[in-house]
Amino acid sequence: MSVPDSDVRSPDSAAQPISAGIVTALVGFTSSFAVVLTGLTAVGANSAEAASGLLALCVTQALGMLWMSRHYRMPITLAWSTPGAALLAGAGTVSGGWPAAVGAFVVVGAAVILTGLWPRLGRLIAAIPPALAQAMLAGVLLPLCLAPVLALRDAPLAVAPVVLVWLVLQRYSPRWAVPAAFAAAAVVIAIGLASGSDGLDTSALLPRLDVTAPAWTWQAMIGIAIPLYIVTMASQNIPGTAVMNSFGYRVPWRPAMLVTGVGTLVGAPAGGHAINLAAISAALAAAPSAHPDPRKRWVAAFTAGWAYLVLAACSAAVATLIAAAPEGVVEAVAGLALLGTLGGALASALDDVREREGAVVSFLIAASGVSILGIGSAFWALVAGLIVRVAVSSRR
């Protein structure tokens, strides 16, 4: 899908995909960065390490988008693994703390690279019953999606404006509902800072990488690396290729896995948990709304890459603002951001009646947050779901 350079240089032909690319980056960033910060903090990162992780994710996915969109002339967009970040939030600190979590991120990057080099591994992941994978994801998301309800009960004055703005935008412009909710949360935070004695730590506003030497523990490998890899592949990479196919683009699978795997591997010591093919936000750059001519939509993804580099410069300031938020506000924004993902996961998990028993068991165990032998509930949810699935299949 090549396009003549003269067409790209035309202001009339470039304006539409450029604006679509900016929207893609803004929506992707503002709708889920709170989930990323919540997940990284849950597995042991301090505020500086979490801000560094957000910066690393922005930069690695931006560079990946710039290269892939330009090289293949396709609107290939990348994203951080939002379901993976939600999984981290439910996993909590494992044996070895933050260095062990970083080690798990490194393993995920290596596994994604191996997936690109060894197609059989990709087929093995695709063979995992989608109902069980989606049920596990839904169970992980449930506690996070309950956060707005609990926060509204505990801090109604701070959380109610956020929920109200989200609800109004759901009626008129659903795409901007979560970004608008974050804008409302920023106003709440600003009012709290203005009325309180504590100010922002201005030294933390400048972006910087905080590199951590990875460590490896078997609890982190089983409790973080394996579920994170499965969720990233099953909920992001595979659906991402399907979304692109629906718009007539065949994503080069091996290069995509190598780029995202290397990006994850490089960004892991700085706190980046995983980057992958965009799924939901992919449509913003690949749809006809980005440009009537499919050959020119790659400019939208290329622009989104540059926009993410700009947003990377703002990552530390955003993380600092989030750290100053009243209790419950950030959790409410993160929960609202994940409601659509939870709904889609539940629908996929319960769609096939033959898989329903195993899916329900997986959902309940993942939602329970139970930890056995230092391993989080996501892993046990998959194990239990597979056992129930085999038992029910034998019965039938």
Side-chain angles (χ1 to χ4, degrees):
M1 285 191 180
S2 61
V3 54
D5 290 340
S6 58
D7 290 343
V8 177
R9 294 192 193 102
S10 170
D12 292 336
S13 66
Q16 189 173 354
I18 287 175
S19 61
I22 294 173
V23 169
T24 299
L26 287 175
V27 171
F29 183 90
T30 57
S31 63
S32 57
F33 76 88
V35 183
V36 171
L37 294 174
T38 300
L40 296 178
T41 303
V43 292
N46 58 36
S47 58
E49 290 162 342
S52 172
L54 184 61
L55 171 63
L57 291 169
C58 287
V59 172
T60 51
Q61 70 187 37
L63 295 178
M65 274 189 280
L66 289 172
W67 184 80
M68 293 200 72
S69 61
R70 179 79 178 181
H71 184 76
Y72 292 103
R73 290 298 200 270
M74 294 185 193
I76 301 173
T77 51
L78 305 183
W80 52 59
S81 177
T82 301
L87 185 145
L88 297 180
T93 306
V94 295
S95 176
W98 174 241
V102 169
F105 303 161
V106 170
V107 170
V108 171
V112 175
I113 293 173
L114 184 60
T115 304
L117 298 174
W118 188 32
R120 182 173 296 179
L121 181 57
R123 290 194 293 269
L124 180 63
I125 295 300
I128 296 175
L132 298 187
Q134 293 298 320
M136 178 197 72
L137 176 60
V140 168
L141 295 175
L142 181 62
L144 296 174
C145 291
L146 287 173
V149 179
L150 303 178
L152 192 60
R153 178 198 65 189
D154 297 334
L157 294 179
V159 177
V162 177
V163 176
L164 182 61
V165 168
W166 174 83
L167 187 60
V168 171
L169 267 293
Q170 281 290 335
R171 170 65 176 84
Y172 294 103
S173 183
R175 177 189 299 177
W176 293 99
V178 175
F182 168 68
V187 173
V188 171
I189 296 170
I191 293 174
L193 290 172
S195 60
S197 57
D198 296 333
L200 286 176
D201 180 8
T202 55
S203 64
L205 297 179
L206 295 177
R208 69 182 182 91
L209 291 177
D210 196 317
V211 178
T212 300
W216 289 274
T217 64
W218 66 270
Q219 292 94 337
M221 294 302 101
I222 298 176
I224 294 181
I226 293 176
L228 179 57
Y229 169 68
I230 292 174
V231 164
T232 298
M233 293 299 300
S235 300
Q236 294 283 159
N237 284 330
I238 294 175
T241 58
V243 170
M244 292 293 288
N245 285 338
S246 70
F247 292 107
Y249 299 99
R250 186 176 179 84
V251 175
W253 176 256
R254 175 172 291 181
M257 293 302 98
L258 294 179
V259 167
T260 56
V262 170
T264 299
L265 198 64
V266 171
H273 65 290
I275 63 169
N276 42 245
L277 290 170
I280 298 174
S281 60
L284 298 176
S289 58
H291 199 284
D293 187 350
R295 297 173 301 169
K296 298 180 181 179
R297 295 175 197 164
W298 71 270
V299 177
F302 190 74
T303 303
W306 284 111
Y308 263 107
L309 288 179
V310 175
L311 291 169
C314 306
S315 58
V318 169
T320 302
L321 184 68
I322 290 298
E327 186 176 356
V329 171
V330 177
E331 291 81 357
V333 175
L336 293 173
L338 291 169
L339 284 179
T341 306
L342 173 62
L346 284 173
S348 299
L350 302 177
D351 182 58
D352 190 344
V353 176
R354 296 170 298 178
E355 301 281 0
R356 193 163 291 175
E357 291 91 345
V360 169
V361 170
S362 292
F363 170 75
L364 291 175
I365 293 178
S368 71
V370 64
S371 178
I372 303 174
L373 300 177
I375 302 170
S377 60
F379 174 79
W380 299 117
L382 276 178
V383 171
L386 288 170
I387 292 174
V388 171
R389 182 178 186 269
V390 170
V392 171
S393 299
S394 300
R395 181 192 69 196
R396 288 171 180 160

